[in-house]
Amino acid sequence: MDPVLYTGGCLCGRIRFEATGPAGNPHYCSCGQCRKHTGSLAAPWIEFPSERVRWTGPQGRPAVYRSSPHSSRAFCPHCGSALGAIDDAPTIALLLGSLDRHDAPELEPVSHSFEDGKPAWA
């Protein structure tokens, strides 16, 4: 069976990526950093080992902001789109909304980190 190739990128198309599956740890996160990074109450993520993600767009790699002692948030420096997080442990977490196709069954989040960070009405 051939590995699944996930593609995606930013709003303006200058940052593009290809990630070779399988996708790992599909989950939501409602921690304060994820909420600020995405402007959303819960960020949906999937993870890949760094060596299975290639930055393919004309801009190359995304810009990063060091958000914690172990991770940097990735974004497009032109349009500002949030793309994911590049962790020091060789993991790249991509936001599901940055994928071209995000409807595959294996991408459905199976857990929710920092669920207590979302408002009671959500």
Side-chain angles (χ1 to χ4, degrees):
M1 184 170 176
D2 292 328
V4 177
L5 183 66
Y6 300 94
T7 61
C10 67
L11 184 61
C12 72
R14 292 180 184 186
I15 304 286
R16 296 284 305 157
F17 61 80
E18 294 178 345
T20 304
N25 194 22
H27 69 285
Y28 290 108
C29 185
S30 290
C31 77
Q33 288 187 17
C34 286
R35 291 192 324 264
K36 294 290 186 180
H37 179 60
T38 64
S40 181
L41 297 176
W45 298 94
I46 52 170
E47 298 175 356
F48 298 91
S50 299
E51 69 271 4
R52 290 197 282 134
V53 176
R54 286 186 338 120
W55 303 103
T56 60
Q59 181 79 38
R61 295 179 63 84
V64 293
Y65 169 73
R66 189 70 174 175
S67 58
S68 75
H70 63 276
S71 186
S72 296
R73 302 298 169 138
F75 61 95
C76 174
H78 183 73
C79 68
S81 295
L83 296 164
I86 300 174
D87 296 341
D88 292 347
T91 300
I92 294 179
L94 297 171
L95 288 162
L96 283 177
S98 68
L99 295 175
D100 294 332
R101 297 209 41 171
H102 46 76
D103 56 353
E106 70 271 17
L107 300 177
E108 181 179 354
V110 296
S111 63
H112 195 141
S113 302
F114 299 95
E115 193 168 4
D116 59 343
K118 67 181 185 176
W121 53 259

